[in-house]
Amino acid sequence: WDELAPFWAHLVPNKMDPVLIAGIGNDPAPVGMFDAGWTNMTAFDYSKEGVQRARELFGPERDGVVLITADARDLPLPNASVDATLDKGTLDAIYITGKDVFLDSVRELGRVTAEGGVVMCISRVIWPDDLMKAFDTQLWENVHDGSLAFAPDGEATIDLGAELYSWRRTKEESAGT
């Protein structure tokens, strides 16, 4: 979380924004995010065991986080209900299973992301061109494209150990889009 925090804080300055964590599993970074003040958090994992592990990581003192078992292609969340999503490797794992499943998952993250909301993706697996094309430029503005970037205080993405991608939702998807 420490390496990611400056980039997240720059993209999501309002700690009250509803946050979605994709693929919670055994990653302690969301616990650090929660402790840093982003407590309006929903996290999901495809695996019940991943959700159980997350419950253990968060512990009883962080009971405000909503942990759910869900498929990234069919999230039990209303349209435009999330202002920020963090993906640290979940889209990588999905991409390995097939490009169609990956694209369906990206579309679903888009469905739940409100206008002005962001998706941050930390990736080492997805071909950069495939990842960039997955976010429709008519609906999303690219903020980070996987190249070296610096947070306002000077932190570099090189410390993340993977590439940083992020997008800001520029408009809602219409029914015909």
Side-chain angles (χ1 to χ4, degrees):
W1 168 248
D2 291 342
E3 292 81 14
L4 184 63
F7 299 98
W8 181 262
H10 181 68
L11 288 171
V12 190
N14 183 352
K15 293 183 177 184
M16 297 308 297
D17 282 350
V19 171
L20 178 65
I21 307 297
I24 187 72
N26 61 4
D27 184 8
V31 175
M33 178 190 295
F34 190 94
D35 290 347
W38 286 273
T39 58
N40 189 0
M41 182 184 292
T42 299
F44 74 91
D45 200 283
Y46 185 75
S47 149
K48 289 179 184 174
E49 293 79 11
V51 171
Q52 181 55 39
R53 176 66 180 130
R55 283 191 210 302
E56 294 166 7
L57 284 171
F58 276 95
E61 65 276 8
R62 297 179 195 90
D63 62 355
V65 66
V66 177
L67 300 170
I68 55 177
T69 303
D71 186 324
R73 298 169 294 174
D74 186 25
L75 297 171
L77 300 171
N79 293 349
S81 59
V82 172
D83 288 327
T85 296
L86 173 62
D87 163 56
K88 276 188 68 213
T90 296
L91 288 177
D92 282 352
I94 292 169
Y95 183 81
I96 292 169
T97 68
K99 196 168 179 182
D100 289 340
V101 177
F102 162 71
L103 292 173
D104 289 345
S105 299
V106 169
R107 275 191 288 276
E108 184 65 353
L109 291 179
R111 180 188 68 77
V112 302
T113 303
E115 185 174 340
V118 298
V119 171
M120 176 187 276
C121 175
I122 309 299
S123 175
R124 288 192 54 89
V125 173
I126 304 168
W127 287 104
D129 194 49
D130 286 348
L131 188 52
M132 295 296 291
K133 287 180 180 175
F135 287 84
D136 183 346
T137 57
Q138 294 180 12
L139 303 174
W140 296 93
E141 170 193 15
N142 180 246
V143 180
H144 296 102
D145 64 3
S147 61
L148 180 63
F150 295 92
D153 291 337
E155 294 87 349
T157 54
I158 196 166
D159 296 331
L160 295 174
E163 284 71 43
L164 169 65
Y165 297 86
S166 65
W167 296 264
R168 185 168 307 282
R169 186 75 188 230
T170 55
K171 66 179 186 177
E172 296 292 325
E173 189 171 6
S174 65
T177 306

mmCIF file of all heavy atoms in Angstrom, residues 21-69:
data_model
loop_
_atom_site.group_PDB
_atom_site.id
_atom_site.type_symbol
_atom_site.label_atom_id
_atom_site.label_comp_id
_atom_site.label_asym_id
_atom_site.label_seq_id
_atom_site.Cartn_x
_atom_site.Cartn_y
_atom_site.Cartn_z
ATOM 1 N N ILE A 21 -12.815 -2.802 -4.519
ATOM 2 C CA ILE A 21 -11.564 -3.547 -4.657
ATOM 3 C C ILE A 21 -11.879 -4.814 -5.439
ATOM 4 O O ILE A 21 -12.690 -5.635 -5.009
ATOM 5 C CB ILE A 21 -10.960 -3.923 -3.284
ATOM 6 C CG1 ILE A 21 -10.815 -2.699 -2.386
ATOM 7 C CG2 ILE A 21 -9.639 -4.656 -3.476
ATOM 8 C CD1 ILE A 21 -9.883 -1.635 -2.899
ATOM 9 N N ALA A 22 -11.222 -4.974 -6.585
ATOM 10 C CA ALA A 22 -11.431 -6.150 -7.434
ATOM 11 C C ALA A 22 -10.484 -7.257 -7.002
ATOM 12 O O ALA A 22 -9.274 -7.064 -6.967
ATOM 13 C CB ALA A 22 -11.190 -5.781 -8.896
ATOM 14 N N GLY A 23 -11.030 -8.403 -6.651
ATOM 15 C CA GLY A 23 -10.199 -9.542 -6.300
ATOM 16 C C GLY A 23 -9.461 -9.361 -4.993
ATOM 17 O O GLY A 23 -8.242 -9.316 -4.965
ATOM 18 N N ILE A 24 -10.181 -9.291 -3.892
ATOM 19 C CA ILE A 24 -9.589 -8.977 -2.589
ATOM 20 C C ILE A 24 -8.608 -10.035 -2.109
ATOM 21 O O ILE A 24 -7.499 -9.724 -1.725
ATOM 22 C CB ILE A 24 -10.698 -8.705 -1.536
ATOM 23 C CG1 ILE A 24 -10.120 -8.205 -0.224
ATOM 24 C CG2 ILE A 24 -11.562 -9.908 -1.307
ATOM 25 C CD1 ILE A 24 -9.604 -6.836 -0.259
ATOM 26 N N GLY A 25 -8.984 -11.289 -2.105
ATOM 27 C CA GLY A 25 -8.092 -12.399 -1.767
ATOM 28 C C GLY A 25 -7.185 -12.163 -0.584
ATOM 29 O O GLY A 25 -7.623 -11.786 0.494
ATOM 30 N N ASN A 26 -5.880 -12.363 -0.803
ATOM 31 C CA ASN A 26 -4.922 -12.276 0.298
ATOM 32 C C ASN A 26 -4.051 -11.025 0.231
ATOM 33 O O ASN A 26 -2.984 -10.982 0.828
ATOM 34 C CB ASN A 26 -4.034 -13.523 0.319
ATOM 35 C CG ASN A 26 -3.241 -13.678 -0.962
ATOM 36 O OD1 ASN A 26 -3.299 -12.820 -1.841
ATOM 37 N ND2 ASN A 26 -2.524 -14.765 -1.082
ATOM 38 N N ASP A 27 -4.511 -10.000 -0.456
ATOM 39 C CA ASP A 27 -3.732 -8.779 -0.621
ATOM 40 C C ASP A 27 -3.938 -7.849 0.579
ATOM 41 O O ASP A 27 -5.058 -7.404 0.842
ATOM 42 C CB ASP A 27 -4.156 -8.077 -1.911
ATOM 43 C CG ASP A 27 -3.334 -6.835 -2.208
ATOM 44 O OD1 ASP A 27 -2.337 -6.586 -1.503
ATOM 45 O OD2 ASP A 27 -3.703 -6.125 -3.157
ATOM 46 N N PRO A 28 -2.873 -7.504 1.306
ATOM 47 C CA PRO A 28 -3.022 -6.607 2.447
ATOM 48 C C PRO A 28 -3.152 -5.128 2.062
ATOM 49 O O PRO A 28 -3.479 -4.301 2.918
ATOM 50 C CB PRO A 28 -1.742 -6.843 3.257
ATOM 51 C CG PRO A 28 -0.743 -7.280 2.242
ATOM 52 C CD PRO A 28 -1.516 -8.038 1.194
ATOM 53 N N ALA A 29 -2.921 -4.770 0.805
ATOM 54 C CA ALA A 29 -2.984 -3.356 0.406
ATOM 55 C C ALA A 29 -4.334 -2.703 0.723
ATOM 56 O O ALA A 29 -4.360 -1.582 1.222
ATOM 57 C CB ALA A 29 -2.634 -3.189 -1.070
ATOM 58 N N PRO A 30 -5.471 -3.363 0.461
ATOM 59 C CA PRO A 30 -6.748 -2.723 0.812
ATOM 60 C C PRO A 30 -6.914 -2.464 2.309
ATOM 61 O O PRO A 30 -7.594 -1.519 2.703
ATOM 62 C CB PRO A 30 -7.794 -3.711 0.295
ATOM 63 C CG PRO A 30 -7.099 -4.401 -0.839
ATOM 64 C CD PRO A 30 -5.682 -4.557 -0.362
ATOM 65 N N VAL A 31 -6.283 -3.275 3.144
ATOM 66 C CA VAL A 31 -6.326 -3.020 4.588
ATOM 67 C C VAL A 31 -5.597 -1.704 4.880
ATOM 68 O O VAL A 31 -6.087 -0.861 5.638
ATOM 69 C CB VAL A 31 -5.712 -4.192 5.384
ATOM 70 C CG1 VAL A 31 -5.652 -3.860 6.874
ATOM 71 C CG2 VAL A 31 -6.502 -5.470 5.147
ATOM 72 N N GLY A 32 -4.450 -1.506 4.229
ATOM 73 C CA GLY A 32 -3.727 -0.241 4.374
ATOM 74 C C GLY A 32 -4.542 0.934 3.868
ATOM 75 O O GLY A 32 -4.544 2.014 4.472
ATOM 76 N N MET A 33 -5.249 0.733 2.746
ATOM 77 C CA MET A 33 -6.103 1.782 2.194
ATOM 78 C C MET A 33 -7.215 2.128 3.188
ATOM 79 O O MET A 33 -7.498 3.300 3.445
ATOM 80 C CB MET A 33 -6.710 1.318 0.863
ATOM 81 C CG MET A 33 -7.643 2.330 0.232
ATOM 82 S SD MET A 33 -8.560 1.677 -1.184
ATOM 83 C CE MET A 33 -7.248 1.360 -2.331
ATOM 84 N N PHE A 34 -7.839 1.105 3.751
ATOM 85 C CA PHE A 34 -8.898 1.299 4.742
ATOM 86 C C PHE A 34 -8.354 2.079 5.940
ATOM 87 O O PHE A 34 -8.951 3.052 6.385
ATOM 88 C CB PHE A 34 -9.451 -0.062 5.174
ATOM 89 C CG PHE A 34 -10.689 0.009 6.011
ATOM 90 C CD1 PHE A 34 -11.947 -0.081 5.446
ATOM 91 C CD2 PHE A 34 -10.598 0.153 7.395
ATOM 92 C CE1 PHE A 34 -13.091 -0.020 6.229
ATOM 93 C CE2 PHE A 34 -11.727 0.216 8.186
ATOM 94 C CZ PHE A 34 -12.983 0.128 7.595
ATOM 95 N N ASP A 35 -7.199 1.655 6.436
ATOM 96 C CA ASP A 35 -6.599 2.324 7.597
ATOM 97 C C ASP A 35 -6.196 3.760 7.283
ATOM 98 O O ASP A 35 -6.142 4.606 8.181
ATOM 99 C CB ASP A 35 -5.390 1.535 8.098
ATOM 100 C CG ASP A 35 -5.784 0.218 8.750
ATOM 101 O OD1 ASP A 35 -6.978 0.011 9.043
ATOM 102 O OD2 ASP A 35 -4.872 -0.613 8.953
ATOM 103 N N ALA A 36 -5.923 4.044 6.007
ATOM 104 C CA ALA A 36 -5.560 5.407 5.601
ATOM 105 C C ALA A 36 -6.788 6.303 5.419
ATOM 106 O O ALA A 36 -6.639 7.497 5.143
ATOM 107 C CB ALA A 36 -4.742 5.365 4.308
ATOM 108 N N GLY A 37 -7.996 5.727 5.570
ATOM 109 C CA GLY A 37 -9.192 6.559 5.563
ATOM 110 C C GLY A 37 -10.227 6.267 4.499
ATOM 111 O O GLY A 37 -11.339 6.800 4.552
ATOM 112 N N TRP A 38 -9.929 5.444 3.510
ATOM 113 C CA TRP A 38 -10.912 5.090 2.479
ATOM 114 C C TRP A 38 -11.747 3.933 3.010
ATOM 115 O O TRP A 38 -11.543 2.773 2.664
ATOM 116 C CB TRP A 38 -10.231 4.731 1.158
ATOM 117 C CG TRP A 38 -9.699 5.920 0.431
ATOM 118 C CD1 TRP A 38 -10.388 6.708 -0.457
ATOM 119 C CD2 TRP A 38 -8.390 6.476 0.512
ATOM 120 N NE1 TRP A 38 -9.579 7.715 -0.914
ATOM 121 C CE2 TRP A 38 -8.332 7.594 -0.336
ATOM 122 C CE3 TRP A 38 -7.247 6.139 1.232
ATOM 123 C CZ2 TRP A 38 -7.200 8.369 -0.492
ATOM 124 C CZ3 TRP A 38 -6.110 6.908 1.094
ATOM 125 C CH2 TRP A 38 -6.101 8.014 0.231
ATOM 126 N N THR A 39 -12.702 4.245 3.874
ATOM 127 C CA THR A 39 -13.467 3.219 4.591
ATOM 128 C C THR A 39 -14.800 2.879 3.945
ATOM 129 O O THR A 39 -15.448 1.932 4.365
ATOM 130 C CB THR A 39 -13.709 3.665 6.048
ATOM 131 O OG1 THR A 39 -14.397 4.915 6.040
ATOM 132 C CG2 THR A 39 -12.387 3.801 6.796
ATOM 133 N N ASN A 40 -15.206 3.637 2.944
ATOM 134 C CA ASN A 40 -16.450 3.341 2.223
ATOM 135 C C ASN A 40 -16.104 2.323 1.132
ATOM 136 O O ASN A 40 -16.070 2.641 -0.039
ATOM 137 C CB ASN A 40 -17.036 4.629 1.640
ATOM 138 C CG ASN A 40 -18.427 4.431 1.079
ATOM 139 O OD1 ASN A 40 -18.985 3.346 1.108
ATOM 140 N ND2 ASN A 40 -18.981 5.508 0.542
ATOM 141 N N MET A 41 -15.806 1.095 1.559
ATOM 142 C CA MET A 41 -15.178 0.103 0.700
ATOM 143 C C MET A 41 -16.030 -1.148 0.533
ATOM 144 O O MET A 41 -16.538 -1.693 1.507
ATOM 145 C CB MET A 41 -13.825 -0.282 1.302
ATOM 146 C CG MET A 41 -13.011 -1.268 0.495
ATOM 147 S SD MET A 41 -11.462 -1.750 1.333
ATOM 148 C CE MET A 41 -10.531 -0.215 1.286
ATOM 149 N N THR A 42 -16.143 -1.580 -0.714
ATOM 150 C CA THR A 42 -16.694 -2.882 -1.054
ATOM 151 C C THR A 42 -15.594 -3.637 -1.775
ATOM 152 O O THR A 42 -14.907 -3.077 -2.625
ATOM 153 C CB THR A 42 -17.925 -2.750 -1.981
ATOM 154 O OG1 THR A 42 -18.937 -2.002 -1.294
ATOM 155 C CG2 THR A 42 -18.475 -4.111 -2.374
ATOM 156 N N ALA A 43 -15.417 -4.901 -1.424
ATOM 157 C CA ALA A 43 -14.387 -5.714 -2.060
ATOM 158 C C ALA A 43 -14.991 -7.047 -2.450
ATOM 159 O O ALA A 43 -15.830 -7.598 -1.732
ATOM 160 C CB ALA A 43 -13.213 -5.917 -1.107
ATOM 161 N N PHE A 44 -14.557 -7.549 -3.601
ATOM 162 C CA PHE A 44 -15.081 -8.842 -4.038
ATOM 163 C C PHE A 44 -13.958 -9.767 -4.465
ATOM 164 O O PHE A 44 -12.858 -9.343 -4.799
ATOM 165 C CB PHE A 44 -16.103 -8.671 -5.172
ATOM 166 C CG PHE A 44 -15.500 -8.331 -6.503
ATOM 167 C CD1 PHE A 44 -15.137 -9.333 -7.407
ATOM 168 C CD2 PHE A 44 -15.299 -7.011 -6.885
ATOM 169 C CE1 PHE A 44 -14.582 -9.014 -8.638
ATOM 170 C CE2 PHE A 44 -14.750 -6.683 -8.110
ATOM 171 C CZ PHE A 44 -14.384 -7.694 -8.996
ATOM 172 N N ASP A 45 -14.288 -11.041 -4.441
ATOM 173 C CA ASP A 45 -13.407 -12.071 -4.968
ATOM 174 C C ASP A 45 -14.295 -13.169 -5.539
ATOM 175 O O ASP A 45 -15.401 -13.401 -5.039
ATOM 176 C CB ASP A 45 -12.483 -12.632 -3.888
ATOM 177 C CG ASP A 45 -11.270 -13.326 -4.476
ATOM 178 O OD1 ASP A 45 -11.401 -14.478 -4.951
ATOM 179 O OD2 ASP A 45 -10.202 -12.706 -4.485
ATOM 180 N N TYR A 46 -13.800 -13.832 -6.559
ATOM 181 C CA TYR A 46 -14.522 -14.939 -7.179
ATOM 182 C C TYR A 46 -14.582 -16.138 -6.236
ATOM 183 O O TYR A 46 -15.499 -16.928 -6.264
ATOM 184 C CB TYR A 46 -13.804 -15.312 -8.485
ATOM 185 C CG TYR A 46 -14.510 -16.356 -9.301
ATOM 186 C CD1 TYR A 46 -15.647 -16.029 -10.028
ATOM 187 C CD2 TYR A 46 -14.035 -17.661 -9.356
ATOM 188 C CE1 TYR A 46 -16.296 -16.972 -10.795
ATOM 189 C CE2 TYR A 46 -14.676 -18.614 -10.118
ATOM 190 C CZ TYR A 46 -15.808 -18.267 -10.832
ATOM 191 O OH TYR A 46 -16.459 -19.204 -11.584
ATOM 192 N N SER A 47 -13.603 -16.234 -5.370
ATOM 193 C CA SER A 47 -13.456 -17.369 -4.472
ATOM 194 C C SER A 47 -13.981 -17.061 -3.077
ATOM 195 O O SER A 47 -13.628 -16.031 -2.490
ATOM 196 C CB SER A 47 -11.965 -17.734 -4.418
ATOM 197 O OG SER A 47 -11.599 -18.264 -3.188
ATOM 198 N N LYS A 48 -14.803 -17.961 -2.544
ATOM 199 C CA LYS A 48 -15.276 -17.808 -1.167
ATOM 200 C C LYS A 48 -14.100 -17.825 -0.194
ATOM 201 O O LYS A 48 -14.106 -17.116 0.806
ATOM 202 C CB LYS A 48 -16.251 -18.926 -0.811
ATOM 203 C CG LYS A 48 -17.581 -18.817 -1.513
ATOM 204 C CD LYS A 48 -18.502 -19.959 -1.150
ATOM 205 C CE LYS A 48 -19.764 -19.851 -1.965
ATOM 206 N NZ LYS A 48 -20.656 -20.977 -1.786
ATOM 207 N N GLU A 49 -13.082 -18.628 -0.518
ATOM 208 C CA GLU A 49 -11.897 -18.694 0.324
ATOM 209 C C GLU A 49 -11.147 -17.355 0.315
ATOM 210 O O GLU A 49 -10.590 -16.950 1.333
ATOM 211 C CB GLU A 49 -10.968 -19.823 -0.140
ATOM 212 C CG GLU A 49 -11.542 -21.223 0.051
ATOM 213 C CD GLU A 49 -12.559 -21.623 -1.034
ATOM 214 O OE1 GLU A 49 -12.680 -20.928 -2.051
ATOM 215 O OE2 GLU A 49 -13.239 -22.638 -0.825
ATOM 216 N N GLY A 50 -11.125 -16.694 -0.839
ATOM 217 C CA GLY A 50 -10.496 -15.380 -0.926
ATOM 218 C C GLY A 50 -11.215 -14.365 -0.052
ATOM 219 O O GLY A 50 -10.580 -13.548 0.624
ATOM 220 N N VAL A 51 -12.526 -14.413 -0.062
ATOM 221 C CA VAL A 51 -13.319 -13.503 0.779
ATOM 222 C C VAL A 51 -13.083 -13.815 2.254
ATOM 223 O O VAL A 51 -12.927 -12.899 3.077
ATOM 224 C CB VAL A 51 -14.816 -13.574 0.407
ATOM 225 C CG1 VAL A 51 -15.667 -12.807 1.402
ATOM 226 C CG2 VAL A 51 -15.033 -13.048 -1.009
ATOM 227 N N GLN A 52 -13.026 -15.095 2.593
ATOM 228 C CA GLN A 52 -12.762 -15.475 3.987
ATOM 229 C C GLN A 52 -11.380 -14.991 4.424
ATOM 230 O O GLN A 52 -11.213 -14.471 5.526
ATOM 231 C CB GLN A 52 -12.880 -16.992 4.173
ATOM 232 C CG GLN A 52 -12.635 -17.448 5.593
ATOM 233 C CD GLN A 52 -13.529 -16.754 6.618
ATOM 234 O OE1 GLN A 52 -14.710 -16.506 6.383
ATOM 235 N NE2 GLN A 52 -12.963 -16.399 7.766
ATOM 236 N N ARG A 53 -10.400 -15.137 3.558
ATOM 237 C CA ARG A 53 -9.041 -14.665 3.874
ATOM 238 C C ARG A 53 -9.047 -13.148 4.089
ATOM 239 O O ARG A 53 -8.403 -12.634 4.996
ATOM 240 C CB ARG A 53 -8.063 -15.050 2.752
ATOM 241 C CG ARG A 53 -6.676 -14.529 2.937
ATOM 242 C CD ARG A 53 -5.970 -15.142 4.145
ATOM 243 N NE ARG A 53 -4.634 -14.580 4.243
ATOM 244 C CZ ARG A 53 -4.125 -14.061 5.342
ATOM 245 N NH1 ARG A 53 -4.803 -14.068 6.462
ATOM 246 N NH2 ARG A 53 -2.907 -13.557 5.341
ATOM 247 N N ALA A 54 -9.805 -12.433 3.259
ATOM 248 C CA ALA A 54 -9.910 -10.980 3.417
ATOM 249 C C ALA A 54 -10.556 -10.625 4.751
ATOM 250 O O ALA A 54 -10.127 -9.684 5.422
ATOM 251 C CB ALA A 54 -10.699 -10.383 2.263
ATOM 252 N N ARG A 55 -11.577 -11.383 5.158
ATOM 253 C CA ARG A 55 -12.202 -11.142 6.469
ATOM 254 C C ARG A 55 -11.156 -11.244 7.583
ATOM 255 O O ARG A 55 -11.143 -10.448 8.521
ATOM 256 C CB ARG A 55 -13.310 -12.153 6.730
ATOM 257 C CG ARG A 55 -14.589 -11.890 6.011
ATOM 258 C CD ARG A 55 -15.724 -12.776 6.536
ATOM 259 N NE ARG A 55 -16.713 -13.100 5.540
ATOM 260 C CZ ARG A 55 -17.444 -12.265 4.843
ATOM 261 N NH1 ARG A 55 -17.281 -10.981 5.018
ATOM 262 N NH2 ARG A 55 -18.332 -12.658 3.961
ATOM 263 N N GLU A 56 -10.285 -12.249 7.459
ATOM 264 C CA GLU A 56 -9.232 -12.427 8.450
ATOM 265 C C GLU A 56 -8.249 -11.257 8.412
ATOM 266 O O GLU A 56 -7.822 -10.767 9.463
ATOM 267 C CB GLU A 56 -8.500 -13.746 8.201
ATOM 268 C CG GLU A 56 -9.368 -14.965 8.434
ATOM 269 C CD GLU A 56 -8.761 -16.250 7.875
ATOM 270 O OE1 GLU A 56 -7.594 -16.235 7.421
ATOM 271 O OE2 GLU A 56 -9.469 -17.271 7.894
ATOM 272 N N LEU A 57 -7.873 -10.807 7.213
ATOM 273 C CA LEU A 57 -6.942 -9.683 7.085
ATOM 274 C C LEU A 57 -7.523 -8.397 7.675
ATOM 275 O O LEU A 57 -6.825 -7.651 8.347
ATOM 276 C CB LEU A 57 -6.576 -9.445 5.615
ATOM 277 C CG LEU A 57 -5.588 -10.407 4.987
ATOM 278 C CD1 LEU A 57 -5.507 -10.171 3.486
ATOM 279 C CD2 LEU A 57 -4.217 -10.251 5.613
ATOM 280 N N PHE A 58 -8.796 -8.141 7.396
ATOM 281 C CA PHE A 58 -9.426 -6.916 7.894
ATOM 282 C C PHE A 58 -9.699 -7.007 9.391
ATOM 283 O O PHE A 58 -9.642 -6.002 10.091
ATOM 284 C CB PHE A 58 -10.722 -6.617 7.130
ATOM 285 C CG PHE A 58 -10.494 -5.891 5.847
ATOM 286 C CD1 PHE A 58 -10.383 -6.584 4.649
ATOM 287 C CD2 PHE A 58 -10.375 -4.516 5.812
ATOM 288 C CE1 PHE A 58 -10.160 -5.917 3.460
ATOM 289 C CE2 PHE A 58 -10.148 -3.836 4.629
ATOM 290 C CZ PHE A 58 -10.036 -4.544 3.445
ATOM 291 N N GLY A 59 -9.989 -8.200 9.874
ATOM 292 C CA GLY A 59 -10.241 -8.396 11.296
ATOM 293 C C GLY A 59 -11.523 -7.733 11.760
ATOM 294 O O GLY A 59 -12.144 -6.956 11.026
ATOM 295 N N PRO A 60 -11.929 -7.990 12.980
ATOM 296 C CA PRO A 60 -13.197 -7.462 13.498
ATOM 297 C C PRO A 60 -13.188 -5.949 13.699
ATOM 298 O O PRO A 60 -14.238 -5.315 13.704
ATOM 299 C CB PRO A 60 -13.382 -8.200 14.826
ATOM 300 C CG PRO A 60 -12.011 -8.641 15.217
ATOM 301 C CD PRO A 60 -11.253 -8.860 13.933
ATOM 302 N N GLU A 61 -12.012 -5.348 13.846
ATOM 303 C CA GLU A 61 -11.953 -3.902 14.094
ATOM 304 C C GLU A 61 -12.238 -3.071 12.852
ATOM 305 O O GLU A 61 -12.447 -1.873 12.932
ATOM 306 C CB GLU A 61 -10.603 -3.512 14.706
ATOM 307 C CG GLU A 61 -9.404 -3.717 13.799
ATOM 308 C CD GLU A 61 -8.842 -5.144 13.799
ATOM 309 O OE1 GLU A 61 -9.458 -6.061 14.380
ATOM 310 O OE2 GLU A 61 -7.775 -5.335 13.198
ATOM 311 N N ARG A 62 -12.255 -3.699 11.681
ATOM 312 C CA ARG A 62 -12.549 -2.992 10.421
ATOM 313 C C ARG A 62 -13.840 -3.553 9.829
ATOM 314 O O ARG A 62 -13.862 -3.992 8.694
ATOM 315 C CB ARG A 62 -11.391 -3.139 9.437
ATOM 316 C CG ARG A 62 -10.097 -2.531 9.914
ATOM 317 C CD ARG A 62 -9.009 -2.742 8.882
ATOM 318 N NE ARG A 62 -7.704 -2.483 9.443
ATOM 319 C CZ ARG A 62 -6.942 -3.414 10.033
ATOM 320 N NH1 ARG A 62 -7.340 -4.667 10.123
ATOM 321 N NH2 ARG A 62 -5.768 -3.084 10.527
ATOM 322 N N ASP A 63 -14.889 -3.511 10.611
ATOM 323 C CA ASP A 63 -16.136 -4.164 10.193
ATOM 324 C C ASP A 63 -16.945 -3.364 9.180
ATOM 325 O O ASP A 63 -17.967 -3.823 8.706
ATOM 326 C CB ASP A 63 -16.994 -4.514 11.409
ATOM 327 C CG ASP A 63 -17.417 -3.292 12.207
ATOM 328 O OD1 ASP A 63 -16.977 -2.175 11.882
ATOM 329 O OD2 ASP A 63 -18.192 -3.467 13.169
ATOM 330 N N GLY A 64 -16.481 -2.183 8.797
ATOM 331 C CA GLY A 64 -17.227 -1.375 7.830
ATOM 332 C C GLY A 64 -17.072 -1.814 6.385
ATOM 333 O O GLY A 64 -17.882 -1.456 5.538
ATOM 334 N N VAL A 65 -16.062 -2.608 6.084
ATOM 335 C CA VAL A 65 -15.849 -3.039 4.703
ATOM 336 C C VAL A 65 -16.871 -4.122 4.340
ATOM 337 O O VAL A 65 -17.193 -4.982 5.154
ATOM 338 C CB VAL A 65 -14.395 -3.532 4.479
ATOM 339 C CG1 VAL A 65 -14.106 -4.786 5.272
ATOM 340 C CG2 VAL A 65 -14.120 -3.763 3.018
ATOM 341 N N VAL A 66 -17.408 -4.026 3.127
ATOM 342 C CA VAL A 66 -18.360 -5.013 2.621
ATOM 343 C C VAL A 66 -17.582 -5.990 1.753
ATOM 344 O O VAL A 66 -16.995 -5.598 0.738
ATOM 345 C CB VAL A 66 -19.488 -4.336 1.804
ATOM 346 C CG1 VAL A 66 -20.421 -5.375 1.215
ATOM 347 C CG2 VAL A 66 -20.238 -3.324 2.662
ATOM 348 N N LEU A 67 -17.556 -7.253 2.159
ATOM 349 C CA LEU A 67 -16.837 -8.297 1.427
ATOM 350 C C LEU A 67 -17.844 -9.251 0.802
ATOM 351 O O LEU A 67 -18.704 -9.792 1.505
ATOM 352 C CB LEU A 67 -15.906 -9.060 2.367
ATOM 353 C CG LEU A 67 -14.837 -8.219 3.054
ATOM 354 C CD1 LEU A 67 -14.127 -9.022 4.144
ATOM 355 C CD2 LEU A 67 -13.839 -7.690 2.043
ATOM 356 N N ILE A 68 -17.731 -9.428 -0.529
ATOM 357 C CA ILE A 68 -18.693 -10.273 -1.234
ATOM 358 C C ILE A 68 -17.981 -11.238 -2.188
ATOM 359 O O ILE A 68 -16.916 -10.943 -2.704
ATOM 360 C CB ILE A 68 -19.719 -9.430 -2.025
ATOM 361 C CG1 ILE A 68 -19.013 -8.471 -2.981
ATOM 362 C CG2 ILE A 68 -20.656 -8.687 -1.092
ATOM 363 C CD1 ILE A 68 -19.945 -7.648 -3.864
ATOM 364 N N THR A 69 -18.619 -12.385 -2.386
ATOM 365 C CA THR A 69 -18.178 -13.334 -3.398
ATOM 366 C C THR A 69 -18.928 -12.974 -4.678
ATOM 367 O O THR A 69 -20.167 -12.923 -4.676
ATOM 368 C CB THR A 69 -18.498 -14.775 -2.974
ATOM 369 O OG1 THR A 69 -17.885 -15.031 -1.712
ATOM 370 C CG2 THR A 69 -17.992 -15.778 -3.997
#
